[in-house]
Amino acid sequence: MVPVLTRRSAMAGALAALLAPGSRQAAANAPPALRDLAAAKGILYGSCVQGAQLAAEDDFTALVLRECAAIVPENEMKWQWMSHRPDEEDFSIPDRIVDFATRYRLALRGHNLLWYWRTPDWFKALPRGQSAESAMVRRVTEMCRRYRGRVFCWDVVNEPIDVETGRADALRKTVFLDEIGPDYLDLAHRAAREADPAASLVVNEYGIVYDTPAAEQKRTAVLRLLERMKRNATPVDALGVQAHLDIGGDPFSPPKFRRFLADVAALGLDIQITELDATDERAPAEIAARDGLVADAYARFLDAALDEPALGVVVTWGLSDRHSWIVRHECNAQGWRKDGLPSRPLPFDAALARKRAWTALAAAFRAAPPRPPGKWAAPALALHHARR
Ligand code: G3I
C-alpha cells in the first residue's frame, strides 16, 4: 500500500529542506545539478521514484527536486499494481505521483501501459480474442486519456522481444500475443496515439547494450520490429534502452552500440535511456574500487550513447543506493552479493552523498554534443508549465 503523498507532507518537507536558513548559501556553493548539466545540452535527465519514498522521506524528495527534471513511477502505473478486478483500476495510486510532477513542474515518463510480467491475473483468465483485445485497448485508452497533457511519453509495451522463442518476428511469448495475436503491439500503439496524440510512444527493451551474440540478435530483432511498425504506419516515436549495466559481466563495444543507435535514428526515431543503473555483485567489496568500476561503466556507456544526437532523454533507475530494485532482495535475489554487502548501483549513496557515478554522469552531460534547442527537455517540461 502506498502511503498518502499529501501536498502538505511533500511541500513542507522537500521545500523546507531546500529553503532552510543557510541552505541558499550552501546551494550557491553546491555542485551543479544533473538536470541543469543535461539541460544545458538540451537533454532531459530524471529518475524513477516511488510515491511512498516521496511521502516518507523529505531529504530524498529534496534531492529528487534538485537533481531531476523528469520522474518515472517505478511501479505505480503498472497494470497489475493498479487493478485487481476486471476493468477496475485504482487511479489514485499513479495520481499521487502525477500530481507531484505537475506541482513541481517535473516532466513525467509513463511506465508502462502493458508489461507481460505485471499483467493482472484476471486479464490472463479472459477468453482469447475479442474480450482480451477490448480489455487491453480499454486499459491503454483510459491511462492515456486520464494523463493526457501530463505524461510526455509512454512505454506502451514493455519488453516485447525475446529471441529465444524461435519466432520469425521474435515477439516474446506473452499473454497479449497468445490472446490477441501479433498485432497486439500495433493495436496498443494506435489506441495510445488516439487517446493522447501529443505523447511520444516508446518501445522499451532490455538486453540490447552488450557485445554478445544474444544481445546482437536482440538488437537486430528490435530493429526489425521498429521497421515493421514504421512500414505498417503504426505510431511509434522512440526506442527506450533500459541499460541495466553489469559490472564485470559481458563486454561492451562502444562502436557496435553506437552503430545500433544510428540505425534506430535512421528510421526517424528518437532514443531514450530509460533505466540506467549498474549491478555490482561481481565487483570487489572495497567501496572506492567498486564505485570506480560503476562510474567507469556509466562513463563508457554514456560516452557512446550521448554521441547519438537522436538521444535526448536519460533516466537513471533510481537516484540513491537507498532505493533501487538492485538493493531490494525481493526484486534481485539472483544478483545478491555473495558477501552480503549492499549494492551501490546509483549516482548517490544511501546517505545521499554524491558518488563517482554522479561525476561520470555530470562529465558525460558536459561532454555531450548539444541537441537542437527545444527538442526534448523544453517540450516535456512545457506540458506542466502550460497547466499551471
Ligand atoms: O511493496 C511490496 C511490499 O509491501 C512487500 O512486502 C514486498 C515483498 O514481496 O514486495 C513489495 O513490492 C515489490 C516492489 O517491487 C517494491 O519493492 C514487488 O514485490 C516487486 O515485484 C517490485 O519489483 C519491481 C519490478 O520492476 C517488478 O515490477 C521493482 O521495484 C522495479 O524496480 C522493477 O522495475 C523494472 C522495470 O519496471 C522494467 N525493467 C526492469 C526493471 C527492473 O526489474
Side-chain angles (χ1 to χ4, degrees):
M1 183 66 200
V2 180
V4 178
L5 177 63
T6 62
R7 180 180 176 81
R8 196 172 153 273
S9 64
M11 286 281 285
L15 287 186
L18 278 177
L19 303 175
S23 73
R24 285 201 195 109
Q25 185 55 43
N29 300 330
L34 291 175
R35 60 177 287 159
D36 296 328
L37 293 169
K41 298 298 174 68
I43 298 166
L44 183 70
Y45 169 73
S47 167
C48 76
V49 294
Q50 291 189 16
Q53 297 156 6
L54 300 176
E57 297 170 35
D58 294 344
D59 57 347
F60 178 71
T61 304
L63 184 73
V64 169
L65 292 176
R66 195 182 68 218
E67 297 291 330
C68 296
I71 56 171
V72 188
E74 183 172 348
N75 290 308
E76 288 88 338
M77 284 182 163
K78 291 172 185 168
W79 197 3
Q80 191 184 48
W81 198 279
M82 295 175 60
S83 177
H84 304 290
R85 272 188 298 279
D87 302 328
E88 273 184 33
E89 300 211 42
D90 184 354
F91 290 103
S92 69
I93 298 171
D95 276 358
R96 293 175 201 135
I97 293 199
V98 178
D99 289 349
F100 178 86
T102 306
R103 185 175 310 137
Y104 290 105
R105 302 181 177 202
L106 301 168
L108 191 86
R109 290 196 82 251
H111 175 80
N112 48 53
L113 295 172
L114 303 170
W115 186 18
Y116 70 97
W117 194 36
R118 286 294 177 254
T119 302
D121 290 340
W122 63 259
F123 180 85
K124 297 179 193 154
L126 288 177
R128 280 162 186 255
Q130 196 51 49
S131 47
E133 184 178 317
S134 309
M136 181 191 81
V137 168
R138 184 162 46 242
R139 150 79 180 170
V140 170
T141 304
E142 283 184 354
M143 288 292 280
C144 294
R145 251 193 216 142
R146 184 178 186 89
Y147 299 121
R148 190 166 157 159
R150 291 191 288 171
V151 165
F152 78 96
C153 73
W154 282 106
D155 292 334
V156 181
V157 177
N158 196 41
E159 305 172 359
I161 294 291
D162 177 6
V163 288
E164 305 282 299
T165 60
R167 289 176 58 93
D169 59 11
L171 284 183
R172 182 180 289 279
K173 220 174 136 21
T174 65
V175 62
F176 306 110
L177 183 66
D178 285 351
E179 298 201 6
I180 301 166
D183 287 349
Y184 84 90
L185 253 140
D186 307 79
L187 288 167
H189 273 250
R190 292 208 171 97
R193 176 59 35 95
E194 204 178 315
D196 183 357
S200 288
L201 304 181
V202 184
V203 171
N204 195 39
E205 192 51 272
Y206 76 99
I208 50 177
V209 167
Y210 283 113
D211 185 16
T212 63
E216 187 61 37
Q217 251 185 305
K218 201 161 179 180
R219 282 192 284 272
T220 305
V222 166
L223 269 174
R224 298 290 96 84
L225 170 68
L226 296 171
E227 284 163 4
R228 229 163 34 237
M229 292 174 87
K230 295 293 273 186
R231 227 178 12 251
N232 296 344
T234 299
V236 57
D237 304 297
L239 172 69
V241 178
Q242 291 193 7
H244 297 290
L245 306 179
D246 180 7
I247 308 307
D250 293 326
F252 175 59
S253 161
K256 281 193 190 164
F257 184 61
R258 186 67 197 78
R259 178 75 250 153
F260 169 65
L261 298 185
D263 289 345
V264 173
L267 296 175
L269 295 171
D270 293 341
I271 298 157
Q272 305 187 359
I273 302 303
T274 53
E275 303 183 15
L276 177 60
D277 58 14
T279 52
D280 66 353
E281 80 263 23
R282 278 185 273 267
E286 205 257 314
I287 284 182
R290 197 141 49 104
D291 285 359
L293 290 170
V294 169
D296 287 351
Y298 272 64
R300 269 165 62 75
F301 172 75
L302 285 167
D303 286 350
L306 293 179
D307 195 37
E308 170 51 61
L311 195 158
V313 176
V314 175
V315 170
T316 47
W317 205 237
L319 197 54
S320 143
D321 296 338
R322 190 190 285 179
H323 299 300
S324 159
W325 68 285
I326 295 169
V327 304
R328 277 181 232 125
H329 194 264
E330 79 266 15
C331 305
N332 185 33
Q334 280 185 329
W336 209 245
R337 285 185 62 88
K338 297 279 177 291
D339 55 18
L341 291 173
S343 280
R344 299 174 61 85
L346 290 166
F348 289 82
D349 72 12
L352 310 186
R354 281 177 194 79
K355 292 165 54 195
R356 288 173 65 186
W358 183 95
T359 312
L361 269 158
F365 289 142
R366 284 193 175 103
R371 274 55 183 159
K375 183 148 169 36
W376 286 285
L381 291 165
L383 278 179
H384 293 279
H385 287 267
R387 291 180 60 84
R388 292 182 67 88

